[in-house]
Amino acid sequence: MSMTVEIDEPRCVAAGHCAAAAPGVFDQRDDDGVVVLLDPTPPAGEHGKVREAAALCPAAAITLRDRGGAR
Amino acid sequence: MTDVLVVGASAAGLATAEALRRRGFTGSIRLLGAEEHPPYDRPPLSKEVLAGTRDPERVVLRGADDLAALDIELVTGRGATALDVVRREVSDTAGRRHAYGSLVIATGLTPRRLGRFAGPAGVHVLRTVEDTRRLHADLLTARRLVVLGGGVLGCEIAATARQRGLDVTLVDRGPAPMARQAGPRLGALLADLHRAHGVKVLTDVTVEDPVVHEARVTGVRTSAGRIAADAVVVAVGATPATGWLRGSGLVLSDGVVCDSRCRAAEGVYAVGDVARWWHEGQGRSVRLENRTNATEQALAVADNIMGADRPYVPVPYFWTDQYDVRMQVFGDLAGADALRVLEGDPATRKFVAAAESGGRVIGVVGWNSARAVRRARGLIADRGVVDA
């Protein structure tokens, strides 16, 4: 199954929990720490980490969609 | 009967319900919320929403469609009034009983109002979106705002109001703003920050009474004299919302007392601001009032409902935005005996520092250094363990 990652950048509070949980998919800008999406369609091996990252985000700024568009 | 009843439909309750579904829980889940809104996020209230730069609708975490897609039943506008742990039932304000298999208590906090300040128009607390709308409306006409309490919330409200051009006085009974959360040295830096922006910061000052004229507040009497005000915010902390649990048999002591698995009794868990649990790493009972704890603890509670037997041992984290400073803290600052700057310079408001106790790093703090502070988090010894 494929996964698409979407970021609601204005909501991001730069906690960095996503980059800690899934460093292959999320990083942070140097200046303000706002999320940088490295891979909007991560490979299956990353899906578990990405789900954890989305769950940990204190601003609920990460949305995950399956191929069919459901969350 | 609902398999999992979550009392409290804010961040922690929602995150627990979502985590259960993500882990494949197929039973029924009901979220019972006292407010009339779908689950929403509180940190933006004292900042963007109060400033008027974010529409209050934009703080909703999950709408009705999202919850329906997850097969989570949301009941709003109903507070819980009683718990019967033997019959496994919760009663609500409409007189309905909710039988449950497992119960998650996520009722959060109630702001302290300071008795003498409850009543006059122009006196505010800030916890809900309605509180924020009322304060925002008052700030449109007020010229002078007095904020009582220099914790995270009081500091953020002071900064937001000052940036809207109000004449702001921040009153704290301690030696510096946020001294309890951040220690005296960072507190002094924060006091400098507020003063540099034109806020009058009064420390070591106790609050006495409101000055009231025709049922409206016109000032505050303090140990440092009288301060004129068109509006007053009481931001002197909050207490765990456990009134409905009195007589339930659960142990209540500044929160719902839980074991290391966030379990208060057989089949009863607590999560978020209301939960006091045994932190095995720190060897003491802990209650955290921060947004990140709500989601992290929810994951542990969901795991334990599903039989994981997992202790909850987080490194505490909080952040605050004031003016052009974003301050981020991992671990513990207040218990430190030294603060060592690792990079940057506090004078430039961009730095990372380690808080040490007996030579061990127990916390890290960054100002405008989000990436660097995340890297520095690894310096914290033993996942934030401190000597009890």
Side-chain angles (χ1 to χ4, degrees), chain B residues 81-102:
Chain B
T81 53
L83 164 65
D84 184 331
V85 290
V86 176
R87 298 181 61 168
R88 293 196 169 213
E89 272 184 0
V90 168
S91 304
D92 72 21
T93 45
R96 181 174 166 196
R97 291 165 196 263
H98 304 260
Y100 62 81
S102 297

Side-chain angles (χ1 to χ4, degrees), chain B residues 24-375:
Chain B
F25 182 79
T26 54
S28 54
I29 302 176
R30 179 178 297 158
L31 264 177
L32 185 68
E35 294 185 53
E36 294 285 357
H37 305 285
Y40 67 90
D41 206 19
R42 297 188 200 278
L45 297 181
S46 52
K47 300 181 278 276
E48 299 97 320
V49 178
L50 183 59
T53 56
R54 192 196 288 194
D55 189 283
E57 301 304 317
R58 282 277 294 153
V59 298
V60 170
L61 289 167
R62 299 285 181 256
D65 292 351
D66 300 314
L67 294 171
L70 289 167
D71 195 20
I72 294 168
E73 183 192 359
L74 175 66
V75 181
T76 56
R78 304 272 193 92
T81 53
L83 164 65
D84 184 331
V85 290
V86 176
R87 298 181 61 168
R88 293 196 169 213
E89 272 184 0
V90 168
S91 304
D92 72 21
T93 45
R96 181 174 166 196
R97 291 165 196 263
H98 304 260
Y100 62 81
S102 297
L103 173 67
V104 178
I105 297 168
T107 39
L109 302 173
T110 307
R112 289 199 190 98
R113 288 178 184 271
L114 293 180
R116 301 176 302 281
F117 283 82
V123 178
H124 299 263
V125 295
L126 198 155
R127 176 75 183 166
T128 66
V129 71
E130 282 79 17
D131 293 338
T132 312
R133 285 182 205 270
R134 280 191 288 266
L135 180 56
H136 176 78
D138 251 15
L139 295 191
L140 295 176
T141 54
R143 194 168 59 79
R144 298 160 303 182
L145 176 72
V146 175
V147 180
L148 307 179
V152 176
L153 183 65
C155 284
E156 289 186 347
I157 292 168
T160 301
R162 183 66 199 131
Q163 287 171 299
R164 290 187 55 86
L166 276 83
D167 174 354
V168 179
T169 305
L170 181 62
V171 182
D172 196 84
R173 65 177 178 182
M178 284 179 57
R180 196 169 60 83
Q181 297 94 343
R185 191 167 156 199
L186 280 157
L189 271 180
L190 283 162
D192 290 346
L193 175 68
H194 281 273
R195 287 181 179 129
H197 282 86
V199 171
K200 191 170 183 189
V201 180
L202 302 180
T203 54
D204 293 314
V205 168
T206 51
V207 171
E208 290 161 3
D209 295 294
V211 183
V212 179
H213 179 70
E214 291 176 356
R216 186 166 180 96
V217 73
T218 57
V220 179
R221 287 189 196 90
T222 74
S223 59
R226 185 168 155 162
I227 311 164
D230 306 308
V232 173
V233 178
V234 179
V236 294
T239 50
T242 54
W244 65 285
L245 295 169
R246 248 179 256 127
S248 68
L250 296 187
V251 181
L252 307 176
S253 176
D254 184 36
V256 177
V257 176
C258 298
D259 66 11
S260 61
R261 273 60 178 171
C262 310
R263 191 172 42 208
E266 180 61 36
V268 180
Y269 299 82
V271 64
D273 296 340
V274 78
R276 171 170 290 284
W277 87 102
W278 188 260
H279 191 306
E280 286 188 351
Q282 297 190 2
R284 59 178 175 163
S285 118
V286 171
R287 188 173 67 77
L288 296 178
E289 294 179 1
N290 61 58
R291 177 62 180 83
T292 313
N293 181 61
T295 36
E296 281 195 70
Q297 192 167 24
L299 302 186
V301 167
D303 284 343
N304 289 332
I305 289 172
M306 294 184 75
D309 194 31
R310 170 184 156 195
Y312 179 51
V313 284
V315 176
Y317 167 81
F318 75 90
W319 84 94
T320 175
D321 296 332
Q322 297 170 33
Y323 310 103
D324 54 350
V325 170
R326 170 162 287 162
M327 170 168 159
Q328 296 173 296
V329 176
F330 285 100
D332 176 26
L333 298 184
D337 52 41
L339 193 70
R340 185 163 51 91
V341 175
L342 301 173
E343 59 178 85
D345 179 359
T348 65
R349 295 178 187 152
K350 184 176 174 67
F351 68 96
V352 177
E356 297 176 338
S357 172
R360 296 160 69 243
V361 176
I362 61 170
V364 295
V365 54
W367 279 32
N368 294 330
S369 304
R371 237 166 152 247
V373 77
R374 174 164 56 85
R375 286 194 302 268

